[in-house]
Amino acid sequence: MSDLVGQVVVITGGAGGIGMALAQHLGNRGASIVTADLQDSAVQEAVQRLQALNIEALGVTCDVTVAESVERLAKRAFDWKGRADLLINNAGISQQSAKLHQADIADAKRVMDVNFWGVWHGCAAFGPLMADQSHPSAIYNVGSENSLFCAVPRSAAYIASKHAVLGLTESFREDMPDHVHVGTIMPGWVTSGLSAKEVAHLAMPAAEFADIVVPQMLARERFVVSHPYNVVRKEQRDQAIADSYARNAPRQDGDEAHDVRLLIAKMRSG
């Protein structure tokens, strides 16, 4: 397929795992790829892998925890081809397994810096530039099944970061004009550098994941999903919330009087 010829895709955390799989899939459809990662050697290796597949690629070393570094990434991307059609804020790290009160706080803060603030920086740097383009584009932030429920025990910082990515993305959607689509990718367990080698074979292969999610991204789905059984875990939480409302705050006539969205709309119209 060559339906993406002339389009530029920027992927953070693009040197391996999900990022590389998405780069290969999108590149094989004709897109030019800007792959960004923390280590220069990994970036250069990623570019060589893509070029070996006849995919046009630019490598940029980038620390997503530093706003200025992500701003430089945006400048490099736009200077390269004068446009960006798809940004995938994919860079992420895991945490050391520990109960919350026993976790290393520096490790927990590092997880938030990469997984949450890295996404924030990507949206802040690219959002205005993509809004200024006249053509349609999209920004996708990589959350997780852990955006919807607690999949991995003893991972409070990681789970909180992925919940935060979902909230950030939902809010950011409303900041962007209609021609800049914003959505969340919510992988289940996919083979990546985050998985221990001895159990990595149990995860969904990254290439298979890319085959599932890329068509959803190109269709501008709001929520991009992959692992069907995740809906079971999500519904367990949804049902628990619904049950609590049914017992403790059931619907009644006039209850919309305190709905924040309706109140904001009323104040803006009045």
Side-chain angles (χ1 to χ4, degrees):
M1 290 180 288
S2 58
D3 50 332
L4 300 182
V5 169
Q7 296 194 24
V8 175
V9 177
V10 183
I11 307 175
T12 67
I18 287 175
M20 174 54 70
L22 292 174
Q24 291 177 343
H25 188 116
L26 291 161
N28 285 333
R29 297 181 76 139
S32 299
I33 307 296
V34 180
T35 183
D37 220 306
L38 184 60
Q39 300 297 328
D40 184 65
S41 58
V43 169
Q44 297 311 315
E45 182 179 345
V47 169
Q48 291 171 9
R49 289 175 61 187
L50 293 172
Q51 290 176 341
L53 298 172
N54 295 316
I55 296 170
E56 187 176 29
L58 171 70
V60 180
T61 303
C62 178
D63 183 348
V64 297
T65 69
V66 179
E68 293 79 7
S69 183
V70 183
E71 290 164 3
R72 287 192 294 271
L73 167 64
K75 186 176 187 305
R76 288 285 305 280
F78 275 85
D79 285 349
W80 188 39
K81 298 287 185 178
R83 62 188 292 154
D85 298 272
L86 174 61
L87 167 67
I88 306 174
N89 286 309
N90 167 69
I93 61 173
S94 59
Q95 73 166 105
Q96 299 172 13
S97 178
K99 294 180 180 179
L100 185 147
H101 62 281
Q102 296 172 332
D104 182 285
I105 193 64
D107 179 50
K109 289 182 176 180
R110 175 67 178 169
V111 169
M112 293 301 296
D113 279 345
V114 176
N115 294 4
F116 173 71
W117 287 108
V119 171
W120 181 296
H121 293 153
C123 291
F126 281 84
L129 297 174
M130 295 172 81
D132 285 344
Q133 298 178 129
S134 59
H135 63 271
S137 59
I139 296 174
Y140 274 100
N141 299 327
V142 177
S144 166
E145 60 188 355
N146 288 280
S147 298
L148 303 173
F149 55 88
C150 299
V152 184
R154 300 187 177 186
S155 301
Y158 183 80
I159 292 169
S161 73
K162 292 303 185 178
H163 274 60
V165 166
L166 176 58
L168 178 158
T169 307
E170 287 292 279
S171 179
F172 185 55
R173 280 175 57 83
E174 300 186 7
D175 297 336
M176 289 291 97
D178 291 343
H179 67 280
V180 183
H181 174 78
V182 177
T184 308
I185 303 172
M186 293 182 285
W189 190 11
V190 178
T191 303
S192 72
L194 303 185
S195 302
K197 292 182 179 179
E198 58 270 21
V199 295
H201 65 284
L202 300 174
M204 177 184 286
E208 178 183 344
F209 172 77
D211 290 344
I212 293 170
V213 301
V214 166
Q216 297 176 60
M217 295 163 64
L218 299 182
R220 300 303 189 240
E221 292 283 357
R222 177 176 175 181
F223 303 113
V224 173
V225 297
S226 55
H227 291 56
Y229 197 79
N230 284 172
V231 75
V232 174
R233 303 297 185 192
K234 177 184 177 297
E235 287 176 348
Q236 290 171 345
R237 171 183 278 187
D238 291 347
Q239 189 59 56
I241 294 171
D243 289 347
S244 187
Y245 270 100
R247 291 192 307 272
N248 304 304
R251 290 296 311 273
Q252 54 188 299
D253 290 343
D255 58 10
E256 72 278 4
H258 301 294
D259 180 78
V260 173
R261 298 292 298 213
L262 291 176
L263 288 169
I264 291 173
K266 183 177 180 180
M267 287 186 288
R268 287 176 174 172
S269 64

